[in-house]
């Protein structure tokens, strides 16, 4: 088993929250996170997009930038990048050789191990700033072991309710767990109840809470399309404007936001007929995608390929999906937590316009047969795990940013 296969082999079907194992593992690694300048990002949707835009802006400013995100689309290397270039297989092998015994001694999870590897790799390569995306929640997430120079919170909505809590207030409390004493926190506009929780926690931590400012993006056209991506861009720009001792020019913000590549976000992977890939995987994310999709055009046949992770509930947006698409094809993807076809049928029901096909590759191939004219369009939505079948069918790569 090679080092990458070993790393993937410890991916668990269960999520392990808590910092004890991460603390142990980071101690074994020499605690590279302690003096690493980190920007930590939490939130429900938009974390990866916001992180990618911030990284690109900092690159245009001349910094060496580490970027840690999750999950990956095809290759685990995608999760750890420096100035857009993914960690090499050789560096993964070096990390595993050094710390495999510690990973096993601690029973560290896949995410804990990858987080530790990110901190180790960024410190080893002397990045100027590391942007770290929180995996789940915030308060008990592995990334929260860092000493950030800035914290950032994207839009908060209901997701992972079985783990983070069944109300927006409980989820906001978990996200606010990334706040550190005296360290500025920048947030997207939030629902009233969520924002109240953030205000309370900011007061407890004696940290300034700043709301993102859309005025920073005048005359800027974000490369990532859709209303919610504009909100993410505003958050990225506002956050970097509030970095202490670092001057980010308006021109760097404009260039970075207009040149960001972030795969699987309203991404056009084929034209005429149009095929779009979006990893939206909860109700608010799917609503955001539909807002974008419905703005494109209303002619031709519309096809949806959808797969979800277990425990996702999209019942509230099912009527919108049925109204938007002429045909919906549900499928499973090749991962431990995929929702079964039976579980998907519980949410989307039985209909002449809804099909259930086991394989994601077969589902996408079936969808393509419905595309008869250049005005037709197809969306592939619901999970990062569509990455592999998409690369195989459309012969494209997600490696380059």
């Amino acid at each position: 088993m090679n080092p990458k296969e070993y790393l993937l082999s410890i991916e668990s079907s269960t999520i392990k929250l808590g910092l004890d194992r991460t603390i142990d593992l980071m101690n074994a690694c020499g605690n590279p996170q302690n003096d690493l300048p980190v920007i930590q990002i939490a939130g429900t949707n938009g974390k990866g997009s916001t992180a990618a835009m911030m990284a690109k802006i900092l690159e245009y400013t001349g910094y060496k930038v580490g970027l840690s995100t999750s999950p990956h689309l095809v290759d685990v290397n995608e999760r750890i990048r420096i100035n857009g270039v993914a960690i090499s297989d050789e560096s993964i092998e070096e990390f595993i050789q050094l710390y495999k015994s510690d990973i096993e001694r601690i029973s560290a999870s896949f995410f804990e191990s990858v987080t530790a590897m990110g901190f180790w790799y960024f410190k080893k390569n002397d990045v100027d700033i590391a942007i770290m995306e929180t995996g789940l929640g915030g308060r008990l997430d592995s990334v929260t072991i860092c000493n950030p120079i800035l914290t950032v919170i994207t839009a908060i909505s209901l997701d992972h309710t079985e783990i983070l809590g069944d109300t927006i207030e409980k989820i906001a409390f978990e996200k606010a767990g990334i706040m550190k004493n005296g360290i500025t926190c920048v947030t997207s506009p939030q629902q009233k109840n969520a924002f109240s929780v953030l205000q309370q926690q900011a007061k407890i931590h004696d940290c300034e809470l700043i709301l993102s400012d859309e005025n920073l993006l005048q005359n800027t056209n974000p490369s990532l399309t859709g209303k919610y991506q504009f909100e993410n861009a505003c958050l990225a720009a506002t956050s970097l404007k509030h970095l202490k001792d670092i001057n980010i020019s308006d021109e760097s913000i404009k260039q970075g936001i207009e040149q960001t590549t972030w795969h699987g976000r309203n991404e056009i992977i084929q034209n005429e007929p149009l095929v779009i890939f979006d990893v939206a995987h909860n109700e608010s994310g799917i609503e955001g995608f539909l807002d974008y999709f419905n703005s494109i055009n209303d002619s031709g046949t519309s096809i949806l390929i959808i797969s979800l992770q277990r425990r996702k509930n999209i019942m509230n947006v099912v009527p919108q999906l049925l109204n938007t698409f002429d045909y919906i094809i549900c499928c499973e993807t090749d991962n431990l937590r995929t929702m079964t076809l039976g579980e998907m049928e519980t949410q989307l029901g039985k209909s002449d316009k809804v099909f259930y096909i086991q394989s994601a590759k077969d589902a996408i191939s079936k969808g393509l047969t419905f595309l008869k004219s250049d005005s037709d369009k197809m969306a592939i939505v619901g999970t990062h795990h569509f990455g592999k079948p998409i690369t195989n069918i459309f012969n494209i790569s997600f490696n380059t940013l």
Side-chain angles (χ1 to χ4, degrees), residues 79-104:
R79 292 173 178 247
I80 299 171
R81 299 177 184 266
I82 296 177
N83 285 6
V85 179
I87 186 173
S88 65
D89 289 352
E90 292 74 20
S91 290
I92 293 176
E93 181 176 3
E94 180 183 357
F95 177 81
I96 296 301
Q97 285 179 343
L98 286 170
Y99 303 113
K100 180 180 178 180
S101 61
D102 296 298
I103 290 169
E104 293 178 348

Side-chain angles (χ1 to χ4, degrees), residues 33-269:
Q33 80 285 356
N34 281 351
D35 55 355
L36 189 68
V38 174
I39 298 172
Q40 184 178 359
I41 301 179
T44 303
N45 293 316
K47 297 188 296 292
S49 299
T50 302
M53 285 186 269
M54 292 175 73
K56 186 59 71 175
I57 293 167
L58 287 165
E59 285 180 49
Y60 274 110
T61 307
Y63 290 100
K64 186 176 185 180
V65 187
L67 176 63
S68 174
T69 58
S70 65
H72 57 273
L73 289 169
V74 176
D75 202 333
V76 69
N77 306 58
E78 299 167 26
R79 292 173 178 247
I80 299 171
R81 299 177 184 266
I82 296 177
N83 285 6
V85 179
I87 186 173
S88 65
D89 289 352
E90 292 74 20
S91 290
I92 293 176
E93 181 176 3
E94 180 183 357
F95 177 81
I96 296 301
Q97 285 179 343
L98 286 170
Y99 303 113
K100 180 180 178 180
S101 61
D102 296 298
I103 290 169
E104 293 178 348
R105 172 180 58 83
I106 296 162
S107 295
S109 71
F110 169 77
F111 185 79
E112 289 162 347
S113 302
V114 172
T115 299
M117 183 166 63
F119 284 128
W120 168 84
Y121 183 68
F122 295 150
K123 182 63 178 177
K124 183 174 183 285
N125 287 276
D126 295 318
V127 301
D128 297 311
I129 296 177
I131 300 173
M132 307 288 293
E133 177 188 346
T134 306
L136 179 65
R139 183 174 62 92
L140 300 175
D141 186 86
S142 296
V143 176
T144 305
I145 196 174
C146 71
N147 299 312
I149 58 175
L150 184 76
T151 60
V152 179
I153 300 178
T154 67
I156 297 170
S157 60
L158 292 175
D159 196 16
H160 296 291
T161 54
E162 74 288 351
I163 299 169
L164 301 179
D166 57 1
T167 68
I168 199 72
E169 293 88 351
K170 290 177 182 177
I171 292 175
F173 174 77
E174 294 297 330
K175 308 292 185 186
I178 70 168
M179 291 180 179
K180 295 292 198 300
N181 292 343
I183 303 299
T184 298
C185 178
V186 185
T187 177
S188 283
Q190 304 286 356
Q191 299 177 45
K192 184 178 179 180
N193 291 354
F195 189 64
S196 293
V197 173
L198 298 187
Q199 288 178 309
Q200 292 165 8
Q201 292 304 306
K203 186 175 181 179
I204 290 170
H205 290 285
D206 190 28
C207 66
E208 186 178 14
L209 183 64
I210 295 169
L211 195 61
S212 63
D213 181 5
E214 65 178 33
N215 293 321
L216 291 174
L217 292 193
Q218 291 180 359
N219 303 314
T220 301
N221 298 304
S223 58
L224 304 183
T225 54
K227 178 183 176 182
Y228 66 98
Q229 290 293 6
F230 179 79
E231 293 172 356
N232 294 334
C234 293
L235 179 61
T238 306
S239 298
L240 293 181
K241 278 293 189 179
H242 285 86
L243 273 179
K244 293 180 179 178
D245 304 320
I246 294 179
N247 182 34
I248 307 293
S249 70
D250 293 340
E251 182 57 28
S252 290
I253 288 174
K254 178 178 173 63
Q255 282 186 312
I257 286 174
E258 291 186 346
Q259 297 299 321
T260 299
T261 298
W262 194 234
H263 298 294
R265 279 75 178 176
N266 294 341
E267 182 174 11
I268 295 174
I269 57 177

